[in-house]
Amino acid sequence: MTVSIREQIVAAVAETLANTEGVDGRVWRSRREALSRNEASAIVIEPASEPRQIYAIHKLDASLELAVAVFARGPIPDQIADPIAADAHIRIMADRSVSGLAIDVIPGQVDWQRDGTDPLSLWMVSMYRIRYRTAINDLSSP
C-alpha cells in the first residue's frame, strides 16, 4: 500500500507527541467518536487543508495545515490545556524537517473552542503549516 508523504508527516507528528506531558499517551490521529470526560486531557491530530502548487516541472509544493487539538477538562480548562500545548509545540518545533519529510514547519493560529453544553471542557486548536514537496505524479515520492 502506497502512503503519501502527507500521511507520513501526520504519523511522524503523532509519534513525536506520544510522550507529551499531561496526556498519558492519549494522542490520536483523528477521532471518529467524541472523547469521553475521563479521556481528558488528550491530543487529536488532523489535517485541515493543503494548498498545492507546481514547483519546477516535476515537483509539487504542498502546505499542509495540520490541526493539533488539545482537549482539556476541569475548573479552568484553558489553564489545563496551556502547558500541554506548550510541550507539544516544543516537540513539534524541535525537528522542523519532520524526520526529513518536510521543508519547514511554521506555527500558526491558535483557537480556543468551548462546548456550550459542558463549560468545564475546551478544545485548544493550534495550527501548523508544514511545507513539503513531492513528485508531481506520485504523492509518496519526494
Side-chain angles (χ1 to χ4, degrees), residues 12-92:
V13 170
E15 185 177 326
T16 296
L17 296 179
N19 294 319
T20 301
E21 299 271 336
V23 296
D24 295 324
R26 290 182 297 271
V27 177
W28 288 284
R29 164 59 177 91
S30 298
R31 280 284 292 212
R32 292 185 62 149
E33 63 278 342
L35 291 169
S36 66
R37 291 178 181 204
N38 65 346
E39 289 181 292
S41 296
I43 296 175
V44 177
I45 304 160
E46 297 180 304
S49 70
E50 187 180 51
R52 297 188 238 175
Q53 65 184 20
I54 294 174
Y55 171 81
I57 295 173
H58 302 290
K59 296 292 180 181
L60 189 63
D61 271 358
S63 291
L64 172 63
E65 291 287 335
L66 187 66
V68 177
V70 174
F71 173 65
R73 189 165 194 294
I76 306 175
D78 54 294
Q79 284 184 336
I80 296 167
D82 186 74
I84 296 167
D87 186 41
H89 179 81
I90 289 169
R91 292 171 187 272
I92 290 168

Side-chain angles (χ1 to χ4, degrees), residues 2-6 8 134-135 137-142:
T2 302
V3 177
S4 70
I5 301 280
R6 171 194 328 101
Q8 292 175 54
T134 67
N137 61 345
D138 184 356
L139 298 177
S140 66
S141 176

